[in-house]
Amino acid sequence: SSVKIIAGSLKGRNISFHDNENTRPTLGRVKETLFNWLIPFIDGATCLDLFAGSGSLGFEAISRGAQACQFIDQSKTNIEQINLNIKSLQITNCTTEISESHKYVTHTDQRYDIVFFDPPYKSNCYDWLDLALEKLLKPDGIIYVESATKIELENLCMIREKKTKTLFYGIYKYDR
């Protein structure tokens, strides 16, 4: 399976991924809306694709001017495919790590301008979203959150959010 990069220097290039129940690339129209929202923040940003899956969000960020992207996924197969995509796209500003996301969050000292927080919908990952915010975001950082149901986000200041028939998504700043 594959998805296209929508815009930027890699526009029209395909990202290949393994089609399995845990890999759910963000829909094209949602991804387009998200990156239109991120225009003021993306240029030169350091990004984290925390539940990378296909890596679609991270690759789109790189294509649109992000300085670097770290891809984290617990699936060795997903990370291997992301590495193949990095090689085929001939980009050098991306790194990957096989890690369970919560473990990565608790052990890293790295902070990011933009974090993509798009876990499998049936997971309990939203329970530790506050920890991710505290540990991962730079002071003016942005987090993208996607979920199947409305998530109450007490410590987040909403910048933009939207709802479709099947999901809620938005970009937020940490309200420190």
Side-chain angles (χ1 to χ4, degrees):
S1 296
S2 68
V3 293
K4 283 199 183 303
I5 296 175
I6 297 170
S9 62
L10 301 170
K11 179 180 179 179
R13 302 284 301 273
N14 285 321
I15 306 283
S16 299
F17 65 95
H18 293 283
D19 196 8
N20 61 51
E21 64 187 45
N22 293 324
T23 305
R24 173 193 35 78
T26 298
L27 298 171
R29 68 182 186 280
V30 171
K31 189 165 60 169
E32 188 170 353
T33 298
L34 165 62
F35 281 92
N36 285 339
W37 292 345
L38 289 176
I39 287 171
F41 311 103
I42 199 81
D43 193 42
T46 55
C47 300
L48 172 64
D49 197 342
L50 188 56
F51 302 86
S54 69
S56 173
L57 295 176
F59 286 120
E60 192 73 38
I62 290 296
S63 181
R64 293 177 185 238
Q67 176 187 351
C69 186
Q70 169 77 38
F71 296 91
I72 303 296
D73 201 281
Q74 66 184 5
S75 165
K76 180 180 178 186
T77 304
N78 287 350
I79 291 296
E80 287 172 347
Q81 185 61 53
I82 289 169
N83 283 327
L84 289 172
N85 286 323
I86 289 169
K87 187 176 180 179
S88 77
L89 294 169
Q90 300 178 335
I91 50 181
T92 58
N93 50 348
C94 295
T95 54
T96 61
E97 186 176 325
I98 301 167
S99 178
E100 190 275 325
S101 296
H102 185 265
K103 183 178 178 183
Y104 176 80
V105 168
T106 57
H107 289 93
T108 189
D109 292 327
Q110 185 69 37
R111 295 201 178 249
Y112 301 91
D113 297 304
I114 299 172
V115 173
F116 299 106
F117 195 92
D118 180 15
Y121 291 159
K122 295 178 183 174
S123 73
N124 67 345
C125 298
Y126 301 100
D127 295 346
W128 49 269
L129 180 56
D130 284 340
L131 174 66
L133 293 165
E134 185 178 314
K135 292 272 297 176
L136 298 174
L137 283 180
K138 288 182 179 177
D140 289 329
I142 301 290
I143 189 164
Y144 168 72
V145 179
E146 184 176 313
S147 62
T149 59
K150 178 82 171 155
I151 304 293
E152 292 303 319
L153 305 167
E154 292 178 13
N155 295 325
L156 291 177
C157 177
M158 186 263 297
I159 297 172
R160 302 287 299 263
E161 65 181 2
K162 199 165 181 177
K163 174 186 181 290
T164 70
K165 287 182 183 179
T166 58
L167 65 99
F168 290 83
Y169 64 102
I171 58 173
Y172 310 86
K173 281 193 171 219
Y174 190 36
D175 190 13
R176 296 179 193 266

